Amino acid sequence: MTARVTLYTRVGCHLCEQAREVVAQVCADLGESFDEVDVDSSAELQEAYTEQVPVTLVDGRRHDFWRVDEARLRAALARPAT
């Protein structure tokens, strides 16, 4: 099963660490999984996301950047996957 949430991060980013905690807790509470991708793993990802990390996608669509709003993430995951 594919994870509904993708979290784009980078090493040493304190906002990424905070976002990871929120995403992990919400996904654990709701029985969802998430993938984490290092934006520095490719030039394409660096170009797309470097100024906005962390970036959260839900069902492949941009959901949040810089900070993850827990209530908003829970609401998004309460809707059926698209």
Side-chain angles (χ1 to χ4, degrees):
M1 183 160 120
T2 303
R4 293 188 63 196
V5 178
T6 304
L7 178 61
Y8 288 94
T9 63
R10 73 168 20 106
V11 173
C13 168
H14 74 282
L15 291 177
C16 298
E17 294 169 11
Q18 292 170 0
R20 183 182 306 109
E21 289 177 15
V22 174
V23 169
Q25 184 61 58
V26 169
C27 287
D29 289 351
L30 300 177
E32 296 287 349
S33 61
F34 73 97
D35 290 327
E36 186 170 344
V37 179
D38 183 347
V39 298
D40 294 323
S41 66
S42 83
E44 182 179 295
L45 290 175
Q46 281 180 337
E47 185 175 329
Y49 298 119
T50 198
E51 297 295 324
Q52 299 176 340
V53 293
V55 177
T56 308
L57 277 60
V58 174
D59 297 327
R61 289 190 293 270
R62 186 180 299 227
H63 180 73
D64 275 323
F65 64 95
W66 294 334
R67 302 210 186 274
V68 178
D69 182 289
E70 180 179 346
R72 194 166 116 74
L73 181 57
R74 286 182 185 279
L77 292 173
R79 293 188 292 270
T82 56

